Amino acid sequence: MARGSKDGKDRGRGAGNLPNREAFERMNFLLQSAQFYATLPATNAAAAAVTTEATAKGKESDESTTLDNDSNGGSSSGALPPRTSATMMPLARFYAKEMRLVSHKSVLRMSPHVKRSICKVCLTPLLPGISSMTRVKGQKRGRRVITTCNYCQSQTRLFVNDDHVLFVDRPEHGTIS
């Protein structure tokens, strides 16, 4: 009897016999954790830990960069960018980095949707309005979506083609549905 099937029938391709299922589950957990901590506001202890870590690396730090950067108009010249101090972004970056390491070590390909949701430079989870800015530029023929990371200011440009479907989204692609 096949493992995991109740009636003894073999499951079809991609239905349940996924190699390295644990690695994919781990990567999924790390992605969800990174996105969660990117939206979570920092506590005083967590902000202090991030500030002391930045100070230990030799960067300048002052009292206004921990949680009070709104008092001076949001423009502080401390160790952390203004938006980093109000979230748990360093922890979110750590989880995104771990997800990438798991995929490299187990030689697994991440979905293009997952790759597009993480900055390639600083590994920040790209959440529109929180950690990234997304805009559409161009005319009907040459439209493109430009996503700008708010922390490292790197940009990714994706051309918009209404007829294009990613390979992983096609019905004949038989992996996870």
Side-chain angles (χ1 to χ4, degrees):
M1 188 161 155
R3 186 176 180 200
S5 63
K6 294 180 181 178
D7 56 356
K9 294 181 181 176
D10 235 351
R11 292 183 177 186
R13 180 178 170 217
N17 50 0
L18 179 68
N20 297 325
R21 178 176 292 277
E22 293 83 13
F24 277 113
E25 289 173 353
R26 179 73 178 154
M27 287 170 44
N28 184 22
F29 168 76
L30 291 170
L31 175 66
Q32 290 177 10
S33 298
Q35 291 174 345
F36 173 74
Y37 282 112
T39 60
L40 191 67
T43 60
N44 289 335
V50 169
T51 305
T52 56
E53 178 183 318
T55 307
K57 290 182 180 180
K59 296 182 179 180
E60 296 177 10
S61 176
D62 60 349
E63 296 280 330
S64 65
T65 59
T66 55
L67 286 177
D68 300 330
N69 69 351
D70 291 335
S71 63
N72 59 1
S75 61
S76 62
S77 60
L80 303 172
R83 294 187 183 168
T84 306
S85 61
T87 61
M88 298 289 293
M89 200 54 70
L91 188 58
R93 285 191 197 111
F94 171 76
Y95 284 138
K97 182 179 177 182
E98 286 295 313
M99 182 185 63
R100 195 176 72 173
L101 286 174
V102 167
S103 71
H104 284 280
K105 285 182 180 180
S106 56
V107 193
L108 297 174
R109 291 184 179 178
M110 286 193 288
S111 169
H113 304 292
V114 173
K115 285 190 219 175
R116 290 177 182 176
S117 69
I118 296 174
C119 178
K120 290 177 175 34
V121 177
C122 65
L123 297 175
T124 300
L126 297 175
L127 302 172
I130 297 172
S131 62
S132 69
M133 180 177 60
T134 304
R135 60 182 195 258
V136 179
K137 277 193 156 186
Q139 298 298 322
K140 187 159 182 109
R141 177 103 169 118
R143 286 184 302 166
R144 56 200 175 276
V145 176
I146 301 172
T147 305
T148 305
C149 177
N150 289 341
Y151 298 96
C152 67
Q153 303 303 318
S154 66
Q155 295 182 343
T156 56
R157 293 178 171 89
L158 297 172
F159 283 99
V160 177
N161 184 359
D162 296 332
D163 299 330
H164 180 70
V165 178
L166 289 174
F167 178 73
V168 296
D169 292 337
R170 293 182 186 161
E172 63 266 10
H173 183 65
T175 58
I176 303 171
S177 54

